[in-house]
Amino acid sequence: MSLVSWTFFILISIFCCRSQAEDAISCQHDKLQISMFIQPTGNAPKAQRGTDVTLSCVVASLPESFTLQWEREGAPTSNTTLFLNNTAYIILHSVDQQSQGTYTCKLKQNGKEQMCGNQTVSVSEYTYSKKTFTLYRETSNSSDLALICKSEKFYGRIRWQLNHPELIMITAEKGKNTTVNGPIEPGKRTSRSYHGQELIFHVSPVRFNYSGAYTCVADNQTNYSIVRLHTVRVSAEPPGAFRNQSVVLTCEVSEGADRVTLAWLRMEGNRAVWVKQDALTGSKRTLSVTLKSLSEGQLLWQCALFNDSTLRALAPIKLRLLSTFTETPPSGDGVVEGSSLRAVIIAACAVAACVVILLGALLFYFRRKSAAGSPPRTGIKADPGLSDPALTYVNRGGGHVAMAKAEEEEEELHYATVTVLEVCDGAGGNPRKNVRTSYFRFYNWRISILTGDAWKSNLY
């Protein structure tokens, strides 16, 4: 490559880097309000290991074509980000050294950055001694909690215990493996050994009854650190509903949480719409909202927990919209048309068919038993003393019984039919009617059940 080419390449590179630097400088930090919540630790500017950090970014107005989101070193953050009322929140759970770094809030229009703001997160290397911290966790299969106790000095023994009632969960001695006592199963990040300073008890998933005060006790006497855990759970009744059917959503927080506000949020894409909120006081620990008519746009919800106006926990729930056989909505008297109605019809037809078959079998059994117990017929014999031409005489039980010829013929042969209508699922889930006819032949008070060609062959 010639000298002129090299010179041209270097000038182009310098121009591009300078343009990128100017674009970065032009980011208007002053129009975004960035704030970080860390639990108070005196004069310490860092968040304690194992606690939660909430970052918020507020913009004055946000048109539809704009988006507001948090990123960490150019990469999108996890799904704990919430976008609500021109504010983007992010909750960092159980922070440690890997949580440290620069977090950037970016305002974009059609993918192009318009404004940005930065927030640096720093985490202490050690656990602050004799401090009490409050954490909130949703109860789900994906939630977790890391109880971290790391001291500056060495301790020979250490343990994590749960008070109310007191329960020792994990114990350790210096230079030995840890001992888990249960009943809470340890997560994958739980310490396997103890070297005198750090003991971690990882809980995953978090259950609703795991709330309480968790204490790190050193040398069996020093309460080194205390974590108060409050749990949040959400439920839907019914969990699955038909279109236009009502659903009740309930959000509940465990006992002991004070100055807490619950809010139900409906998710519309990456945005949340405020539906209902209430500050919990006294013994009240739940917030419910009734959806009068469930639709496709009402399946994703979140219960948000605020403490002193700071977002501390999110509990998501996804409703299930049941498919229907017809588009007719459920009637007000509780009769549901569609899949449930079809199931009822099929079940009723099956029951009716079973009843008919059972009655036929019982009738056949009793008639056959009755015929077997009756005296055998010896046939018709003429009696010289009985000469009425309109009558025939049947020898039964050693005597002659007069019987009209028409009655005898009716006794000799009778036929009846029973038709059963079955509703079955055809191709594509469409109902198909099958008609099955059973023929009953009564002869000498016995029943022969014939179907199809067998009926035809027995006529002769």
Side-chain angles (χ1 to χ4, degrees), residues 7 26 60 69 84 115 151 209 230 251 262 265 317-318 327 336 354 393 457:
T7 303
S26 64
Q69 65 183 31
L84 172 67
M115 288 183 284
S151 59
N209 59 348
H230 300 295
C251 182
L262 297 181
L265 311 174
I317 185 172
K318 183 177 181 180
E327 291 298 325
V336 180
C354 293
Y393 299 90
S457 64

Side-chain angles (χ1 to χ4, degrees), residues 153-391:
K153 61 179 294 187
F154 287 86
Y155 290 96
R157 291 185 178 89
I158 196 170
R159 69 175 183 262
W160 273 107
Q161 67 183 35
L162 172 61
N163 298 324
H164 311 301
E166 184 172 307
L167 176 65
I168 298 177
M169 301 180 301
I170 184 173
T171 60
E173 292 187 22
K174 184 179 178 181
K176 297 182 179 180
N177 293 335
T178 58
T179 301
V180 178
N181 300 310
I184 300 177
E185 291 291 333
K188 60 182 180 180
R189 294 169 54 193
T190 299
S191 299
R192 303 302 177 186
S193 60
Y194 176 64
H195 301 286
Q197 287 184 292
E198 184 179 54
L199 179 64
I200 300 176
F201 187 75
H202 181 220
V203 181
S204 180
V206 178
R207 304 302 183 191
F208 189 73
N209 59 348
Y210 289 178
S211 61
Y214 293 82
T215 306
C216 176
V217 181
D219 283 343
N220 298 329
Q221 58 184 359
T222 303
N223 290 343
Y224 191 84
S225 180
I226 299 176
V227 175
R228 297 190 181 277
L229 175 66
H230 300 295
T231 52
V232 183
R233 65 181 174 187
V234 291
S235 60
E237 184 59 38
F242 292 97
R243 189 182 303 274
N244 299 325
Q245 186 178 356
S246 63
V247 177
V248 178
L249 302 177
T250 302
C251 182
E252 181 181 5
V253 64
S254 59
E255 295 182 359
D258 55 353
R259 299 193 303 274
V260 170
T261 298
L262 297 181
W264 271 111
L265 311 174
R266 185 180 72 250
M267 303 306 298
E268 295 182 354
N270 62 340
R271 299 192 180 195
V273 178
W274 206 296
V275 177
K276 186 178 181 180
Q277 71 172 17
D278 193 10
L280 305 187
T281 57
S283 60
K284 183 178 181 181
R285 298 186 293 117
T286 62
L287 176 66
S288 298
V289 62
T290 301
L291 312 180
K292 296 183 178 180
S293 178
L294 187 63
S295 62
E296 292 285 352
Q298 295 181 328
L299 301 181
L300 299 178
W301 292 79
Q302 291 200 70
C303 177
L305 185 147
F306 294 86
N307 178 251
D308 293 334
S309 301
T310 301
L311 180 66
R312 301 299 305 277
L314 289 171
I317 185 172
K318 183 177 181 180
L319 303 180
R320 186 162 51 96
L321 185 62
L322 302 179
S323 60
T324 57
F325 180 68
T326 64
E327 291 298 325
T328 306
S331 59
D333 56 1
V335 178
V336 180
E337 298 185 11
S339 299
S340 295
L341 181 58
R342 180 179 60 177
V344 171
I345 294 175
I346 294 175
C349 292
V351 171
C354 293
V355 169
V356 170
I357 295 174
L358 180 61
L359 290 177
L362 290 175
L363 183 60
F364 172 75
Y365 172 76
F366 286 114
R367 291 300 186 188
R368 184 172 183 177
K369 184 176 181 181
S370 175
S374 62
R377 295 180 57 181
T378 58
I380 303 173
K381 295 183 179 181
D383 192 319
L386 302 174
S387 57
D388 190 346
L391 300 175

Side-chain angles (χ1 to χ4, degrees), residues 2-19:
S2 63
L3 180 62
V4 176
S5 299
W6 274 110
T7 303
F8 179 76
F9 176 77
I10 293 172
L11 290 176
I12 291 296
S13 300
I14 294 174
F15 176 78
C16 292
C17 293
R18 187 174 181 180
S19 299

